[in-house]
Amino acid sequence: MKVLLTIAITGMLLLTGCQDKDEETNSHSVHEDTSDVVKTPKVEIIGSEHVDPNKEVTIGANVYYGEDLVDDAEVTFEITNAAGASEKIEAALIENGYYEITYTFIENGIYEVIAHTNVKSYHTMPKMTVQVGEGHSEKGEVERESGHEHHHRSIEVITDDLTGFIFNKEQQLTTTILENDQPFPHAKVRFEIWANGEEKHEFIDANEGEDEGTYQSLYTFRKTGEYNITVHVEKEEIHEHVELQVDVKEE
């Protein structure tokens, strides 16, 4: 059975234009520049949920930036067996926004397939599970063009609030986690934070707020400049993360 996995990562940067004092005397409007709004990257893994051993299969991914398929992404499939042994294979662009590899599963068992994908400044890694051999479905495969692929459980990590940080002042980190547009409660959420060029990474546990699916923590950035923040989300079989960069400025 062909399956399609979607993970969406939402982030938006709103830049507000400035007016000088002379302009303020003539107008009270604020100009908004939306030309640099960060779009939402999305990756759909396309492959068979059950396969036979020693038979070559294809594993693919559609990569979007906003609503557009993109041809300049970097996609590497990591395939891991039940014993933890893994290998990575770089995918080739086949057609507009569609990347693919061929692979032969040698032994029976359950494998995890992760699509490590770099889209613009984002890194995302949706995954799917493949049963090789025993447990093979006799229902056949659904072609990816048909639009009837099975959707695996996936979540959306919203990072809109992770902007506008001031250094040397305690800041609130907030992220909202959704599943099928509904709050995703009682998850283990951590913020991994490190400054560009530094090896030390700090992990900050987040607590769920009064609103279900919203997780918060406090952190003090010790210097100005660019920082990396990775939001880690874990619950039951879900283990996802979203990476983004933020600019920390003086007050």
Side-chain angles (χ1 to χ4, degrees), residues 1 10 12 20 36 38 43 54 58 70 76 94 115 117 122 138 144 148-149 182 198 200 211 217 226 230 241 251:
M1 180 189 305
T10 305
M12 182 173 69
D20 60 27
D36 291 329
V38 177
V43 179
N54 298 305
T58 61
V70 294
T76 300
I94 302 301
T117 307
Y122 285 89
E138 299 298 333
R144 67 185 183 90
H148 298 292
E149 297 91 346
Q182 298 298 316
E198 292 189 356
K200 181 181 178 181
D211 297 330
S217 187
E226 288 190 347
T230 299
H241 74 259
E251 189 171 10

Side-chain angles (χ1 to χ4, degrees), residues 13 18 51 55 110-111 125 134-135 139 154 179 193 236:
L13 177 62
C18 298
V51 301
K55 180 180 179 180
I110 297 176
Y111 290 72
M125 45 182 290
E134 296 179 2
K139 295 181 180 180
S154 63
E179 182 179 26
I193 305 170
E236 298 171 349

Side-chain angles (χ1 to χ4, degrees), residues 61-64 67-72 93-99 144:
N62 284 325
V63 181
Y64 296 84
E67 297 300 320
D68 301 321
L69 289 160
V70 294
D71 295 343
D72 59 350
L93 177 66
I94 302 301
E95 58 187 18
N96 184 28
Y98 176 69
Y99 301 77
R144 67 185 183 90

Side-chain angles (χ1 to χ4, degrees), residues 114-125:
I114 299 177
H116 295 276
T117 307
N118 293 319
V119 189
K120 308 302 180 183
S121 60
Y122 285 89
H123 175 79
T124 182
M125 45 182 290

Side-chain angles (χ1 to χ4, degrees), residues 14 27 36 56 62 94 130 132 144 177 198 216-217 232:
L14 183 63
S27 173
D36 291 329
E56 188 175 74
N62 284 325
I94 302 301
V130 177
V132 179
R144 67 185 183 90
I177 317 297
E198 292 189 356
Q216 298 175 335
S217 187
H232 296 270

Side-chain angles (χ1 to χ4, degrees), residues 42-58:
K42 182 176 67 174
V43 179
E44 301 171 343
I45 298 181
I46 301 167
S48 297
E49 192 174 27
H50 300 90
V51 301
D52 292 321
N54 298 305
K55 180 180 179 180
E56 188 175 74
V57 298
T58 61

Side-chain angles (χ1 to χ4, degrees), residues 19-232:
Q19 298 174 317
D20 60 27
K21 293 182 179 179
D22 292 337
E23 290 175 331
E24 289 177 354
T25 61
N26 298 322
S27 173
H28 297 289
S29 64
V30 178
H31 173 68
E32 292 184 350
D33 180 4
T34 60
S35 61
D36 291 329
V37 172
V38 177
K39 298 179 182 179
T40 303
K42 182 176 67 174
V43 179
E44 301 171 343
I45 298 181
I46 301 167
S48 297
E49 192 174 27
H50 300 90
V51 301
D52 292 321
N54 298 305
K55 180 180 179 180
E56 188 175 74
V57 298
T58 61
I59 304 172
N62 284 325
V63 181
Y64 296 84
Y65 189 58
E67 297 300 320
D68 301 321
L69 289 160
V70 294
D71 295 343
D72 59 350
E74 297 176 358
V75 182
T76 300
F77 286 99
E78 180 179 10
I79 301 172
T80 306
N81 64 18
S86 66
E87 59 180 308
K88 293 183 178 181
I89 304 172
E90 184 175 350
L93 177 66
I94 302 301
E95 58 187 18
N96 184 28
Y98 176 69
Y99 301 77
E100 187 179 85
I101 65 169
T102 57
Y103 188 77
T104 301
F105 295 90
I106 303 301
E107 299 180 351
N108 292 345
I110 297 176
Y111 290 72
E112 181 180 76
V113 178
I114 299 177
H116 295 276
T117 307
N118 293 319
V119 189
K120 308 302 180 183
S121 60
Y122 285 89
H123 175 79
T124 182
M125 45 182 290
K127 61 185 177 182
M128 65 174 286
T129 300
V130 177
Q131 171 73 51
V132 179
E134 296 179 2
H136 178 75
S137 171
E138 299 298 333
K139 295 181 180 180
E141 298 179 347
V142 179
E143 295 301 324
R144 67 185 183 90
E145 293 85 358
S146 70
H148 298 292
E149 297 91 346
H150 174 69
H151 286 253
H152 271 253
R153 190 177 183 188
S154 63
I155 61 172
E156 180 181 5
V157 182
I158 299 175
T159 60
D160 294 2
D161 293 328
L162 296 176
T163 59
F165 294 121
I166 306 300
F167 99 105
N168 208 28
K169 184 177 180 180
E170 192 171 61
Q171 305 287 284
Q172 181 169 282
L173 308 177
T174 302
T175 185
T176 300
I177 317 297
L178 303 176
E179 182 179 26
N180 298 325
D181 295 325
Q182 298 298 316
F184 189 69
H186 314 310
K188 179 180 179 181
V189 177
R190 294 189 302 165
F191 296 102
E192 179 184 2
I193 305 170
W194 72 101
N196 271 4
E198 292 189 356
E199 295 184 0
K200 181 181 178 181
H201 294 212
E202 294 186 68
F203 289 84
I204 311 298
D205 290 331
N207 296 315
E208 190 168 8
E210 294 182 359
D211 297 330
E212 280 194 345
T214 298
Y215 300 83
Q216 298 175 335
S217 187
L218 297 175
Y219 184 75
T220 301
F221 296 91
R222 297 303 181 185
K223 65 179 183 179
T224 60
E226 288 190 347
Y227 278 75
N228 303 284
I229 298 180
T230 299
V231 184
H232 296 270

